[in-house]
Amino acid sequence: GSNLFSARAFASNFDDDQLKQAIEYAKLRGVKTNLTLNTLIKDSEFEQAIELATKAYEYGIDAIIVQDLGLGTKLIELFPDLPIHSSTQMTVHNLNGALELENLGFKRVVLSRELSANEIEYICKNSNIEIECFVHGALCISYSGQCLFSSMIGGRSGNRGKCAQPCRLPYELLENDKKIDSGHLLSTRDLCGLDFIPFFIKAGVSCLKIEGRMKSAQYVAIVTKIYRKYIDLALSDKPYK
């Protein structure tokens, strides 16, 4: 994530120099880097977003992930050899959406987190675009890219990278002014999809998405290592357990 137009605006994001250093660091180690430009872009910010994408392209970024459809199509036009990915914030939740992005020239679509395994498989089997799906981490109570909860109650929009995560707070449930439940009623349990790895591989999923930009380096390293281990196991002749 850069310090501009990232869905994690309050993370320790990279400035221009740090972004360049991170890309060079990764390339020396054979690791790909994707830049998240995954917020909605105001008209007045469009040129600034293009400028940031241009710098990332010159630094050697391997792909750019976008929410804003206008920004995505412009980047495809400007950088035809640079893969542009559709963020989960674009709310692509069916085959028609995936096919439309494929026709527009997107390389990959990160599907909405609300889809069932069978829906993911159906999209994979009936499109040629790369499919990425969530496999580990926190889930929103609302739909990817469509939640206005934080924006309405506090002016911090999730579509601008500033979600205050009000769904993580405790609430009381009332019926006829009588409290019938209380606690973290809107906070979902974190997702752990290790058991689904063989299914995803067979379905044709190209990439698995692990939450990490607001986590510690140690967390990211451990979780990624575990998923790499079980992906390799699923691709081997050994029993998956």
Side-chain angles (χ1 to χ4, degrees):
S2 168
N3 53 12
L4 294 171
F5 312 122
S6 167
R8 300 291 186 274
F10 299 113
S12 299
N13 295 308
F14 297 135
D15 60 26
D16 284 353
D17 289 340
Q18 292 170 330
L19 180 63
K20 183 178 181 181
Q21 291 171 18
I23 294 171
E24 291 174 348
Y25 182 93
K27 283 191 175 299
L28 287 172
R29 290 155 179 82
V31 175
K32 290 184 177 181
T33 51
N34 298 347
L35 176 65
T36 52
L37 278 178
N38 55 342
T39 62
L40 296 179
I41 308 296
K42 296 180 180 179
D43 290 350
S44 60
E45 300 168 335
F46 201 79
E47 291 303 320
Q48 190 178 18
I50 295 295
E51 181 182 346
L52 174 55
T54 302
K55 288 181 180 179
Y57 176 76
E58 292 171 348
Y59 297 156
I61 202 76
D62 291 290
I64 296 180
I65 307 170
V66 300
Q67 174 185 7
D68 193 293
L69 189 60
L71 176 63
T73 52
K74 186 63 176 179
L75 293 179
I76 291 169
E77 175 188 328
L78 292 174
F79 310 110
D81 59 334
L82 176 65
I84 304 300
H85 298 177
S86 157
S87 168
T88 186
Q89 290 291 103
M90 205 178 278
T91 325
V92 178
H93 60 278
N94 57 26
L95 179 61
N96 287 340
L99 292 177
E100 182 62 28
L101 291 180
E102 183 180 325
N103 292 334
L104 289 172
F106 282 79
K107 179 71 171 178
R108 177 183 298 176
V109 53
V110 185
L111 294 176
S112 293
R113 288 166 287 188
E114 301 77 36
L115 296 183
S116 68
N118 290 336
E119 289 171 321
I120 293 170
E121 181 181 36
Y122 179 75
I123 294 171
C124 288
K125 299 297 186 185
N126 292 280
S127 64
N128 293 315
I129 194 170
E130 291 181 1
I131 301 297
E132 180 175 337
C133 60
F134 274 82
V135 72
H136 191 92
L139 295 176
C140 294
I141 192 66
S142 189
Y143 291 97
S144 304
Q146 299 294 316
C147 184
L148 303 177
F149 193 6
S150 177
S151 178
M152 291 183 67
I153 67 172
R156 287 175 50 175
S157 172
N159 289 313
R160 297 284 291 169
K162 299 178 180 179
C163 181
Q165 297 187 327
C167 57
R168 307 296 182 207
L169 299 176
Y171 291 94
E172 293 183 349
L173 178 62
L174 305 180
E175 181 177 353
N176 298 325
D177 295 326
K178 180 180 179 182
K179 184 172 74 172
I180 60 174
D181 200 359
S182 63
H184 294 85
L185 304 180
L186 299 179
S187 184
T188 60
R189 293 179 178 179
D190 279 12
L191 174 68
C192 178
L194 284 173
D195 290 340
F196 287 89
I197 288 177
F199 176 89
F200 285 140
I201 292 173
K202 185 177 180 180
V205 171
S206 300
C207 185
L208 301 178
K209 187 175 181 68
I210 296 171
E211 179 192 24
R213 277 189 292 142
M214 293 292 281
K215 302 291 188 179
S216 69
Q218 292 80 7
Y219 172 93
V220 173
I222 293 170
V223 174
T224 304
K225 182 178 181 180
I226 292 296
Y227 275 88
R228 180 75 265 170
K229 172 185 175 181
Y230 282 96
I231 290 170
D232 291 342
L233 179 60
L235 291 171
S236 72
D237 295 328
K238 299 177 182 178
Y240 191 84
K241 59 181 181 178

